[in-house]
Amino acid sequence: LEAGSIESINSQSILFKNLLDISIVSIGWWSFGYSLSTSTGDAFAGDGSEAFSEPGSDWTLLFFSWAFAATSATIVSGAVAGRILLRTYVTISIVMGWLLFPIYFHWAYATNGWLFEIGFIDFAGSGVVHLGGGMAALVGSIIVGPRLSRFVYDYEALKWVDKKPRGHSVMMSFVGTLLLWFGWYGFNAGSTLGVSDGRFVVASTCLFNTSLATSASILTMSMIGALMPGKFSLFDVMNAALAGLVTVTAGCATVSGWGAIICGILAAPVYKLGSTGIASMRIDDPVDAISVHGLCGALGLLLAGLLSQETLVIRAYGEDYISDFNVGRQLGVQIAGFLAIAGLTAVAMLLLLLPQKYILGTVRINEQDELVGNDYGYFGAHAYPDWDEMVRNAKMHDKRVAEIKRRKEKKDWELGKVTWTKGRTSRSGVRMEKSREKSRDSKNLKESTQNTSSHNPLPTQDVQI
């Protein structure tokens, strides 16, 4: 999805960063991050006693939560694509996967986490995964700055013009969107961590609510696109699908079918307005990660407080999770979780990136590497062969085919072959026969002219032109 949403000259670097995210978070989650997320320590974080965990029953949660950690870290990749230094991005991945996400996970899901104790509803991670990643993307985009080609000042109109480069492959983005949609069923329904003791009912609720919200968001964005001036954008529809998924994730187990549809209907305009507003502030987000994950993650937390039903909350979390459920109190809990996650992420990213920018010198690649693309700067070649090379190869192929054909005709001529097919000469045979006849006629005409010239020589004269 990310690779298709940016210019082709940066697609290899995006793929490489995603591989780095998974690798860095895998090692860090097993060795350190998971120990901060468990129900040890205090209300803020685990005590680290489960670092370098050995295989056991807890590895089920270890593996499942690792997938969420890698997802949270990867969100930042698309927002800073095309201009961030690799070393800077690696530090973001380490902080997100090893430190921030484990803390948020502990707050919301560990039995001694402070958000868990006050009844925070975020069943599959609208806040813990997406809001945290979206806020990191926002701070990273602001500090790194926009791409050189994104915002251009028009001196005649006296205003900034947004010249957002179009993604190079709609097909890649479309396939990525479908893969994410399919994988989201595993995230949301898998958050039940089982199917026994009635949890299969909760899982089925998560599954269909996920479908309803995504479908509603796609249809809403399609209507918005039809009513807006200008051309229709498939990228907007695909991002709206992701916005619906992010929004329903918090309450996928606790809202009704109508609640899921409301989540999807609201997600599309929030995404679109957020994307437009962020661009108007000259914040460059090539894949709209800030709007899709950050704003819609916050929206998901708020709607989980407004639309969750008490019976569904009890079925998903148990009778003892929230003793006295009411919408007003629950909305306050959701806002507290939103402020805590967004605030800590913003502070951590500022402390991480500002020293790199002003002490180490820079957090972005140089202008030359940005213009030719990260792919050439890091890998020495672009992901796709250039058109000149393709044209040269095509011409070389045509020359080889023509040479093979010429040699065959020459060989047939030397051997005097005339092939016959069903009583008629083939095309090559007819061509050779006509060539022989033309040669004989030319020879006879030449001999006749020589004979005529020898008997009746013509007078010569100079002709002035």
Side-chain angles (χ1 to χ4, degrees), residues 44 92 95-96 99-100 103-104 107 131-132 134-140 142-143 338-356:
F44 183 79
I92 293 175
V95 170
M96 287 296 298
L99 183 62
L100 292 181
I103 290 174
Y104 303 152
W107 290 356
L131 174 60
M135 181 56 67
L138 173 62
V139 176
I142 293 173
I143 294 177
F338 157 70
L339 293 175
I341 293 172
L344 181 57
T345 304
V347 171
M349 287 296 108
L350 289 171
L351 293 176
L352 174 68
L353 296 177
L354 287 179
Q356 293 189 60

PDB file of all heavy atoms in Angstrom, residues 44 92 95-96 99-100 103-104 107 131-132 134-140 142-143 338-356:
ATOM      1  N   PHE A  44       2.061   1.965  35.451  1.00  0.00           N
ATOM      2  CA  PHE A  44       2.638   2.625  34.276  1.00  0.00           C
ATOM      3  C   PHE A  44       3.269   1.642  33.309  1.00  0.00           C
ATOM      4  O   PHE A  44       3.108   1.772  32.085  1.00  0.00           O
ATOM      5  CB  PHE A  44       3.685   3.661  34.718  1.00  0.00           C
ATOM      6  CG  PHE A  44       4.270   4.439  33.581  1.00  0.00           C
ATOM      7  CD1 PHE A  44       3.573   5.502  33.006  1.00  0.00           C
ATOM      8  CD2 PHE A  44       5.518   4.110  33.064  1.00  0.00           C
ATOM      9  CE1 PHE A  44       4.118   6.217  31.954  1.00  0.00           C
ATOM     10  CE2 PHE A  44       6.065   4.821  32.011  1.00  0.00           C
ATOM     11  CZ  PHE A  44       5.368   5.885  31.452  1.00  0.00           C
ATOM     12  N   ILE A  92      13.306   5.837  15.231  1.00  0.00           N
ATOM     13  CA  ILE A  92      11.855   5.923  15.442  1.00  0.00           C
ATOM     14  C   ILE A  92      11.270   4.524  15.629  1.00  0.00           C
ATOM     15  O   ILE A  92      10.442   4.284  16.522  1.00  0.00           O
ATOM     16  CB  ILE A  92      11.177   6.633  14.259  1.00  0.00           C
ATOM     17  CG1 ILE A  92      11.596   8.102  14.202  1.00  0.00           C
ATOM     18  CG2 ILE A  92       9.651   6.533  14.373  1.00  0.00           C
ATOM     19  CD1 ILE A  92      11.068   8.847  12.985  1.00  0.00           C
ATOM     20  N   VAL A  95      12.155   3.176  19.164  1.00  0.00           N
ATOM     21  CA  VAL A  95      11.405   3.813  20.251  1.00  0.00           C
ATOM     22  C   VAL A  95       9.941   3.393  20.228  1.00  0.00           C
ATOM     23  O   VAL A  95       9.338   3.106  21.276  1.00  0.00           O
ATOM     24  CB  VAL A  95      11.540   5.347  20.158  1.00  0.00           C
ATOM     25  CG1 VAL A  95      10.575   6.035  21.117  1.00  0.00           C
ATOM     26  CG2 VAL A  95      12.969   5.770  20.459  1.00  0.00           C
ATOM     27  N   MET A  96       9.355   3.315  19.029  1.00  0.00           N
ATOM     28  CA  MET A  96       7.944   2.936  18.929  1.00  0.00           C
ATOM     29  C   MET A  96       7.727   1.482  19.348  1.00  0.00           C
ATOM     30  O   MET A  96       6.805   1.170  20.104  1.00  0.00           O
ATOM     31  CB  MET A  96       7.444   3.139  17.493  1.00  0.00           C
ATOM     32  CG  MET A  96       7.257   4.593  17.099  1.00  0.00           C
ATOM     33  SD  MET A  96       5.974   5.439  18.049  1.00  0.00           S
ATOM     34  CE  MET A  96       4.523   4.486  17.597  1.00  0.00           C
ATOM     35  N   LEU A  99       9.561   0.711  23.229  1.00  0.00           N
ATOM     36  CA  LEU A  99       9.272   1.508  24.417  1.00  0.00           C
ATOM     37  C   LEU A  99       7.823   2.004  24.470  1.00  0.00           C
ATOM     38  O   LEU A  99       7.088   1.681  25.410  1.00  0.00           O
ATOM     39  CB  LEU A  99      10.227   2.707  24.475  1.00  0.00           C
ATOM     40  CG  LEU A  99      10.108   3.624  25.699  1.00  0.00           C
ATOM     41  CD1 LEU A  99      10.429   2.843  26.969  1.00  0.00           C
ATOM     42  CD2 LEU A  99      11.041   4.826  25.553  1.00  0.00           C
ATOM     43  N   LEU A 100       7.404   2.772  23.468  1.00  0.00           N
ATOM     44  CA  LEU A 100       6.087   3.417  23.556  1.00  0.00           C
ATOM     45  C   LEU A 100       4.948   2.418  23.458  1.00  0.00           C
ATOM     46  O   LEU A 100       4.038   2.421  24.311  1.00  0.00           O
ATOM     47  CB  LEU A 100       5.959   4.483  22.460  1.00  0.00           C
ATOM     48  CG  LEU A 100       6.860   5.708  22.614  1.00  0.00           C
ATOM     49  CD1 LEU A 100       6.622   6.693  21.478  1.00  0.00           C
ATOM     50  CD2 LEU A 100       6.630   6.392  23.960  1.00  0.00           C
ATOM     51  N   ILE A 103       4.352   0.315  26.574  1.00  0.00           N
ATOM     52  CA  ILE A 103       3.750   1.079  27.668  1.00  0.00           C
ATOM     53  C   ILE A 103       2.249   1.248  27.445  1.00  0.00           C
ATOM     54  O   ILE A 103       1.434   1.053  28.367  1.00  0.00           O
ATOM     55  CB  ILE A 103       4.453   2.441  27.814  1.00  0.00           C
ATOM     56  CG1 ILE A 103       5.884   2.234  28.350  1.00  0.00           C
ATOM     57  CG2 ILE A 103       3.667   3.374  28.736  1.00  0.00           C
ATOM     58  CD1 ILE A 103       6.710   3.509  28.401  1.00  0.00           C
ATOM     59  N   TYR A 104       1.862   1.613  26.225  1.00  0.00           N
ATOM     60  CA  TYR A 104       0.431   1.772  25.937  1.00  0.00           C
ATOM     61  C   TYR A 104      -0.314   0.443  26.098  1.00  0.00           C
ATOM     62  O   TYR A 104      -1.443   0.411  26.602  1.00  0.00           O
ATOM     63  CB  TYR A 104       0.219   2.290  24.510  1.00  0.00           C
ATOM     64  CG  TYR A 104       0.922   3.595  24.221  1.00  0.00           C
ATOM     65  CD1 TYR A 104       1.329   3.919  22.931  1.00  0.00           C
ATOM     66  CD2 TYR A 104       1.185   4.510  25.230  1.00  0.00           C
ATOM     67  CE1 TYR A 104       1.972   5.108  22.657  1.00  0.00           C
ATOM     68  CE2 TYR A 104       1.834   5.696  24.965  1.00  0.00           C
ATOM     69  CZ  TYR A 104       2.233   5.989  23.670  1.00  0.00           C
ATOM     70  OH  TYR A 104       2.878   7.173  23.410  1.00  0.00           O
ATOM     71  N   TRP A 107      -0.865  -0.109  29.751  1.00  0.00           N
ATOM     72  CA  TRP A 107      -1.929   0.746  30.269  1.00  0.00           C
ATOM     73  C   TRP A 107      -3.317   0.161  30.002  1.00  0.00           C
ATOM     74  O   TRP A 107      -4.176   0.144  30.886  1.00  0.00           O
ATOM     75  CB  TRP A 107      -1.873   2.128  29.618  1.00  0.00           C
ATOM     76  CG  TRP A 107      -0.723   2.975  30.024  1.00  0.00           C
ATOM     77  CD1 TRP A 107       0.237   2.694  30.963  1.00  0.00           C
ATOM     78  CD2 TRP A 107      -0.396   4.252  29.472  1.00  0.00           C
ATOM     79  NE1 TRP A 107       1.138   3.717  31.034  1.00  0.00           N
ATOM     80  CE2 TRP A 107       0.781   4.696  30.144  1.00  0.00           C
ATOM     81  CE3 TRP A 107      -0.955   5.073  28.513  1.00  0.00           C
ATOM     82  CZ2 TRP A 107       1.382   5.921  29.853  1.00  0.00           C
ATOM     83  CZ3 TRP A 107      -0.365   6.294  28.227  1.00  0.00           C
ATOM     84  CH2 TRP A 107       0.796   6.708  28.885  1.00  0.00           C
ATOM     85  N   LEU A 131      -3.618   5.406  17.083  1.00  0.00           N
ATOM     86  CA  LEU A 131      -3.426   6.774  17.553  1.00  0.00           C
ATOM     87  C   LEU A 131      -1.953   7.040  17.871  1.00  0.00           C
ATOM     88  O   LEU A 131      -1.411   8.094  17.508  1.00  0.00           O
ATOM     89  CB  LEU A 131      -4.288   7.033  18.786  1.00  0.00           C
ATOM     90  CG  LEU A 131      -4.099   8.382  19.480  1.00  0.00           C
ATOM     91  CD1 LEU A 131      -4.414   9.526  18.530  1.00  0.00           C
ATOM     92  CD2 LEU A 131      -4.964   8.471  20.742  1.00  0.00           C
ATOM     93  N   GLY A 132      -1.289   6.080  18.532  1.00  0.00           N
ATOM     94  CA  GLY A 132       0.135   6.251  18.829  1.00  0.00           C
ATOM     95  C   GLY A 132       0.960   6.381  17.561  1.00  0.00           C
ATOM     96  O   GLY A 132       1.804   7.280  17.433  1.00  0.00           O
ATOM     97  N   GLY A 134      -0.133   7.260  14.551  1.00  0.00           N
ATOM     98  CA  GLY A 134      -0.507   8.470  13.835  1.00  0.00           C
ATOM     99  C   GLY A 134       0.096   9.724  14.440  1.00  0.00           C
ATOM    100  O   GLY A 134       0.512  10.639  13.718  1.00  0.00           O
ATOM    101  N   MET A 135       0.162   9.793  15.771  1.00  0.00           N
ATOM    102  CA  MET A 135       0.771  10.951  16.427  1.00  0.00           C
ATOM    103  C   MET A 135       2.280  11.004  16.153  1.00  0.00           C
ATOM    104  O   MET A 135       2.849  12.080  15.915  1.00  0.00           O
ATOM    105  CB  MET A 135       0.502  10.898  17.932  1.00  0.00           C
ATOM    106  CG  MET A 135       1.069  12.086  18.705  1.00  0.00           C
ATOM    107  SD  MET A 135       0.506  13.692  18.108  1.00  0.00           S
ATOM    108  CE  MET A 135      -1.244  13.608  18.521  1.00  0.00           C
ATOM    109  N   ALA A 136       2.936   9.857  16.164  1.00  0.00           N
ATOM    110  CA  ALA A 136       4.362   9.811  15.813  1.00  0.00           C
ATOM    111  C   ALA A 136       4.578  10.260  14.373  1.00  0.00           C
ATOM    112  O   ALA A 136       5.551  10.958  14.059  1.00  0.00           O
ATOM    113  CB  ALA A 136       4.898   8.394  16.026  1.00  0.00           C
ATOM    114  N   ALA A 137       3.653   9.867  13.478  1.00  0.00           N
ATOM    115  CA  ALA A 137       3.742  10.291  12.080  1.00  0.00           C
ATOM    116  C   ALA A 137       3.594  11.797  11.951  1.00  0.00           C
ATOM    117  O   ALA A 137       4.285  12.443  11.145  1.00  0.00           O
ATOM    118  CB  ALA A 137       2.673   9.570  11.257  1.00  0.00           C
ATOM    119  N   LEU A 138       2.696  12.391  12.742  1.00  0.00           N
ATOM    120  CA  LEU A 138       2.487  13.841  12.697  1.00  0.00           C
ATOM    121  C   LEU A 138       3.744  14.597  13.128  1.00  0.00           C
ATOM    122  O   LEU A 138       4.215  15.508  12.427  1.00  0.00           O
ATOM    123  CB  LEU A 138       1.311  14.217  13.595  1.00  0.00           C
ATOM    124  CG  LEU A 138       1.058  15.712  13.795  1.00  0.00           C
ATOM    125  CD1 LEU A 138       0.736  16.392  12.472  1.00  0.00           C
ATOM    126  CD2 LEU A 138      -0.062  15.946  14.808  1.00  0.00           C
ATOM    127  N   VAL A 139       4.300  14.217  14.270  1.00  0.00           N
ATOM    128  CA  VAL A 139       5.495  14.903  14.771  1.00  0.00           C
ATOM    129  C   VAL A 139       6.673  14.688  13.808  1.00  0.00           C
ATOM    130  O   VAL A 139       7.430  15.625  13.494  1.00  0.00           O
ATOM    131  CB  VAL A 139       5.855  14.408  16.178  1.00  0.00           C
ATOM    132  CG1 VAL A 139       7.147  15.055  16.666  1.00  0.00           C
ATOM    133  CG2 VAL A 139       4.714  14.702  17.146  1.00  0.00           C
ATOM    134  N   GLY A 140       6.808  13.467  13.308  1.00  0.00           N
ATOM    135  CA  GLY A 140       7.894  13.180  12.370  1.00  0.00           C
ATOM    136  C   GLY A 140       7.774  13.987  11.094  1.00  0.00           C
ATOM    137  O   GLY A 140       8.771  14.534  10.593  1.00  0.00           O
ATOM    138  N   ILE A 142       6.313  16.892  10.649  1.00  0.00           N
ATOM    139  CA  ILE A 142       6.569  18.308  10.906  1.00  0.00           C
ATOM    140  C   ILE A 142       8.059  18.574  11.038  1.00  0.00           C
ATOM    141  O   ILE A 142       8.601  19.521  10.448  1.00  0.00           O
ATOM    142  CB  ILE A 142       5.825  18.763  12.173  1.00  0.00           C
ATOM    143  CG1 ILE A 142       4.310  18.731  11.930  1.00  0.00           C
ATOM    144  CG2 ILE A 142       6.264  20.167  12.581  1.00  0.00           C
ATOM    145  CD1 ILE A 142       3.484  19.004  13.177  1.00  0.00           C
ATOM    146  N   ILE A 143       8.772  17.739  11.799  1.00  0.00           N
ATOM    147  CA  ILE A 143      10.192  17.979  12.044  1.00  0.00           C
ATOM    148  C   ILE A 143      11.026  17.698  10.792  1.00  0.00           C
ATOM    149  O   ILE A 143      11.950  18.457  10.456  1.00  0.00           O
ATOM    150  CB  ILE A 143      10.678  17.128  13.232  1.00  0.00           C
ATOM    151  CG1 ILE A 143       9.997  17.610  14.521  1.00  0.00           C
ATOM    152  CG2 ILE A 143      12.195  17.197  13.373  1.00  0.00           C
ATOM    153  CD1 ILE A 143      10.358  16.801  15.742  1.00  0.00           C
ATOM    154  N   PHE A 338      -7.095   8.912  25.304  1.00  0.00           N
ATOM    155  CA  PHE A 338      -6.648   9.628  24.108  1.00  0.00           C
ATOM    156  C   PHE A 338      -5.555  10.645  24.448  1.00  0.00           C
ATOM    157  O   PHE A 338      -4.505  10.704  23.792  1.00  0.00           O
ATOM    158  CB  PHE A 338      -7.838  10.318  23.445  1.00  0.00           C
ATOM    159  CG  PHE A 338      -7.479  11.489  22.583  1.00  0.00           C
ATOM    160  CD1 PHE A 338      -6.816  11.304  21.372  1.00  0.00           C
ATOM    161  CD2 PHE A 338      -7.789  12.782  22.984  1.00  0.00           C
ATOM    162  CE1 PHE A 338      -6.477  12.389  20.578  1.00  0.00           C
ATOM    163  CE2 PHE A 338      -7.453  13.868  22.199  1.00  0.00           C
ATOM    164  CZ  PHE A 338      -6.791  13.672  20.994  1.00  0.00           C
ATOM    165  N   LEU A 339      -5.773  11.456  25.455  1.00  0.00           N
ATOM    166  CA  LEU A 339      -4.810  12.492  25.827  1.00  0.00           C
ATOM    167  C   LEU A 339      -3.486  11.881  26.291  1.00  0.00           C
ATOM    168  O   LEU A 339      -2.402  12.396  25.973  1.00  0.00           O
ATOM    169  CB  LEU A 339      -5.397  13.382  26.918  1.00  0.00           C
ATOM    170  CG  LEU A 339      -6.592  14.253  26.504  1.00  0.00           C
ATOM    171  CD1 LEU A 339      -7.147  15.001  27.723  1.00  0.00           C
ATOM    172  CD2 LEU A 339      -6.207  15.228  25.406  1.00  0.00           C
ATOM    173  N   ALA A 340      -3.566  10.786  27.039  1.00  0.00           N
ATOM    174  CA  ALA A 340      -2.342  10.160  27.559  1.00  0.00           C
ATOM    175  C   ALA A 340      -1.501   9.585  26.422  1.00  0.00           C
ATOM    176  O   ALA A 340      -0.277   9.790  26.368  1.00  0.00           O
ATOM    177  CB  ALA A 340      -2.710   9.070  28.563  1.00  0.00           C
ATOM    178  N   ILE A 341      -2.136   8.850  25.515  1.00  0.00           N
ATOM    179  CA  ILE A 341      -1.397   8.220  24.416  1.00  0.00           C
ATOM    180  C   ILE A 341      -0.831   9.275  23.468  1.00  0.00           C
ATOM    181  O   ILE A 341       0.356   9.232  23.106  1.00  0.00           O
ATOM    182  CB  ILE A 341      -2.305   7.235  23.664  1.00  0.00           C
ATOM    183  CG1 ILE A 341      -2.665   6.059  24.572  1.00  0.00           C
ATOM    184  CG2 ILE A 341      -1.625   6.738  22.385  1.00  0.00           C
ATOM    185  CD1 ILE A 341      -3.725   5.131  23.991  1.00  0.00           C
ATOM    186  N   ALA A 342      -1.677  10.238  23.078  1.00  0.00           N
ATOM    187  CA  ALA A 342      -1.216  11.268  22.153  1.00  0.00           C
ATOM    188  C   ALA A 342      -0.128  12.136  22.790  1.00  0.00           C
ATOM    189  O   ALA A 342       0.877  12.467  22.143  1.00  0.00           O
ATOM    190  CB  ALA A 342      -2.396  12.141  21.717  1.00  0.00           C
ATOM    191  N   GLY A 343      -0.303  12.482  24.066  1.00  0.00           N
ATOM    192  CA  GLY A 343       0.670  13.340  24.730  1.00  0.00           C
ATOM    193  C   GLY A 343       2.026  12.693  24.896  1.00  0.00           C
ATOM    194  O   GLY A 343       3.064  13.302  24.588  1.00  0.00           O
ATOM    195  N   LEU A 344       2.061  11.445  25.382  1.00  0.00           N
ATOM    196  CA  LEU A 344       3.340  10.777  25.584  1.00  0.00           C
ATOM    197  C   LEU A 344       4.056  10.544  24.249  1.00  0.00           C
ATOM    198  O   LEU A 344       5.276  10.699  24.156  1.00  0.00           O
ATOM    199  CB  LEU A 344       3.138   9.443  26.307  1.00  0.00           C
ATOM    200  CG  LEU A 344       4.410   8.646  26.601  1.00  0.00           C
ATOM    201  CD1 LEU A 344       5.405   9.463  27.430  1.00  0.00           C
ATOM    202  CD2 LEU A 344       4.091   7.326  27.301  1.00  0.00           C
ATOM    203  N   THR A 345       3.305  10.207  23.210  1.00  0.00           N
ATOM    204  CA  THR A 345       3.925   9.991  21.893  1.00  0.00           C
ATOM    205  C   THR A 345       4.548  11.278  21.378  1.00  0.00           C
ATOM    206  O   THR A 345       5.686  11.272  20.875  1.00  0.00           O
ATOM    207  CB  THR A 345       2.878   9.489  20.880  1.00  0.00           C
ATOM    208  OG1 THR A 345       2.255   8.317  21.379  1.00  0.00           O
ATOM    209  CG2 THR A 345       3.535   9.176  19.542  1.00  0.00           C
ATOM    210  N   ALA A 346       3.817  12.389  21.486  1.00  0.00           N
ATOM    211  CA  ALA A 346       4.337  13.666  21.000  1.00  0.00           C
ATOM    212  C   ALA A 346       5.611  14.065  21.736  1.00  0.00           C
ATOM    213  O   ALA A 346       6.609  14.467  21.123  1.00  0.00           O
ATOM    214  CB  ALA A 346       3.265  14.750  21.150  1.00  0.00           C
ATOM    215  N   VAL A 347       5.604  13.933  23.054  1.00  0.00           N
ATOM    216  CA  VAL A 347       6.782  14.310  23.840  1.00  0.00           C
ATOM    217  C   VAL A 347       7.969  13.417  23.491  1.00  0.00           C
ATOM    218  O   VAL A 347       9.101  13.899  23.299  1.00  0.00           O
ATOM    219  CB  VAL A 347       6.462  14.230  25.346  1.00  0.00           C
ATOM    220  CG1 VAL A 347       7.737  14.397  26.172  1.00  0.00           C
ATOM    221  CG2 VAL A 347       5.436  15.293  25.735  1.00  0.00           C
ATOM    222  N   ALA A 348       7.737  12.118  23.395  1.00  0.00           N
ATOM    223  CA  ALA A 348       8.829  11.182  23.095  1.00  0.00           C
ATOM    224  C   ALA A 348       9.426  11.446  21.717  1.00  0.00           C
ATOM    225  O   ALA A 348      10.657  11.422  21.540  1.00  0.00           O
ATOM    226  CB  ALA A 348       8.308   9.749  23.185  1.00  0.00           C
ATOM    227  N   MET A 349       8.573  11.722  20.719  1.00  0.00           N
ATOM    228  CA  MET A 349       9.076  11.985  19.367  1.00  0.00           C
ATOM    229  C   MET A 349       9.856  13.297  19.300  1.00  0.00           C
ATOM    230  O   MET A 349      10.867  13.405  18.597  1.00  0.00           O
ATOM    231  CB  MET A 349       7.918  12.007  18.376  1.00  0.00           C
ATOM    232  CG  MET A 349       7.329  10.645  18.061  1.00  0.00           C
ATOM    233  SD  MET A 349       8.507   9.534  17.235  1.00  0.00           S
ATOM    234  CE  MET A 349       8.855   8.392  18.565  1.00  0.00           C
ATOM    235  N   LEU A 350       9.392  14.308  20.030  1.00  0.00           N
ATOM    236  CA  LEU A 350      10.131  15.571  20.061  1.00  0.00           C
ATOM    237  C   LEU A 350      11.502  15.381  20.695  1.00  0.00           C
ATOM    238  O   LEU A 350      12.518  15.898  20.185  1.00  0.00           O
ATOM    239  CB  LEU A 350       9.331  16.620  20.837  1.00  0.00           C
ATOM    240  CG  LEU A 350       8.070  17.163  20.144  1.00  0.00           C
ATOM    241  CD1 LEU A 350       7.274  18.031  21.117  1.00  0.00           C
ATOM    242  CD2 LEU A 350       8.424  17.957  18.899  1.00  0.00           C
ATOM    243  N   LEU A 351      11.554  14.654  21.802  1.00  0.00           N
ATOM    244  CA  LEU A 351      12.841  14.406  22.467  1.00  0.00           C
ATOM    245  C   LEU A 351      13.766  13.551  21.608  1.00  0.00           C
ATOM    246  O   LEU A 351      14.994  13.656  21.715  1.00  0.00           O
ATOM    247  CB  LEU A 351      12.599  13.714  23.810  1.00  0.00           C
ATOM    248  CG  LEU A 351      11.886  14.550  24.879  1.00  0.00           C
ATOM    249  CD1 LEU A 351      11.615  13.708  26.131  1.00  0.00           C
ATOM    250  CD2 LEU A 351      12.711  15.785  25.235  1.00  0.00           C
ATOM    251  N   LEU A 352      13.198  12.729  20.762  1.00  0.00           N
ATOM    252  CA  LEU A 352      14.011  11.871  19.902  1.00  0.00           C
ATOM    253  C   LEU A 352      14.526  12.606  18.671  1.00  0.00           C
ATOM    254  O   LEU A 352      15.705  12.475  18.301  1.00  0.00           O
ATOM    255  CB  LEU A 352      13.181  10.651  19.470  1.00  0.00           C
ATOM    256  CG  LEU A 352      13.837   9.715  18.441  1.00  0.00           C
ATOM    257  CD1 LEU A 352      15.034   8.998  19.057  1.00  0.00           C
ATOM    258  CD2 LEU A 352      12.816   8.730  17.902  1.00  0.00           C
ATOM    259  N   LEU A 353      13.675  13.402  18.024  1.00  0.00           N
ATOM    260  CA  LEU A 353      14.009  13.957  16.706  1.00  0.00           C
ATOM    261  C   LEU A 353      14.665  15.333  16.760  1.00  0.00           C
ATOM    262  O   LEU A 353      15.513  15.639  15.913  1.00  0.00           O
ATOM    263  CB  LEU A 353      12.744  14.027  15.849  1.00  0.00           C
ATOM    264  CG  LEU A 353      12.107  12.681  15.504  1.00  0.00           C
ATOM    265  CD1 LEU A 353      10.829  12.879  14.705  1.00  0.00           C
ATOM    266  CD2 LEU A 353      13.080  11.790  14.733  1.00  0.00           C
ATOM    267  N   LEU A 354      14.274  16.162  17.714  1.00  0.00           N
ATOM    268  CA  LEU A 354      14.859  17.513  17.753  1.00  0.00           C
ATOM    269  C   LEU A 354      16.376  17.494  17.979  1.00  0.00           C
ATOM    270  O   LEU A 354      17.108  18.235  17.305  1.00  0.00           O
ATOM    271  CB  LEU A 354      14.162  18.352  18.826  1.00  0.00           C
ATOM    272  CG  LEU A 354      12.737  18.809  18.476  1.00  0.00           C
ATOM    273  CD1 LEU A 354      12.145  19.620  19.632  1.00  0.00           C
ATOM    274  CD2 LEU A 354      12.725  19.644  17.199  1.00  0.00           C
ATOM    275  N   PRO A 355      16.917  16.696  18.916  1.00  0.00           N
ATOM    276  CA  PRO A 355      18.383  16.631  19.031  1.00  0.00           C
ATOM    277  C   PRO A 355      19.052  16.133  17.754  1.00  0.00           C
ATOM    278  O   PRO A 355      20.148  16.611  17.391  1.00  0.00           O
ATOM    279  CB  PRO A 355      18.601  15.652  20.200  1.00  0.00           C
ATOM    280  CG  PRO A 355      17.344  15.729  20.990  1.00  0.00           C
ATOM    281  CD  PRO A 355      16.255  15.922  19.985  1.00  0.00           C
ATOM    282  N   GLN A 356      18.443  15.181  17.074  1.00  0.00           N
ATOM    283  CA  GLN A 356      19.036  14.697  15.823  1.00  0.00           C
ATOM    284  C   GLN A 356      19.062  15.791  14.760  1.00  0.00           C
ATOM    285  O   GLN A 356      20.013  15.887  13.977  1.00  0.00           O
ATOM    286  CB  GLN A 356      18.249  13.496  15.303  1.00  0.00           C
ATOM    287  CG  GLN A 356      18.354  12.259  16.174  1.00  0.00           C
ATOM    288  CD  GLN A 356      17.740  11.042  15.514  1.00  0.00           C
ATOM    289  OE1 GLN A 356      18.147  10.625  14.440  1.00  0.00           O
ATOM    290  NE2 GLN A 356      16.741  10.463  16.176  1.00  0.00           N
TER     291      GLN A 356
END
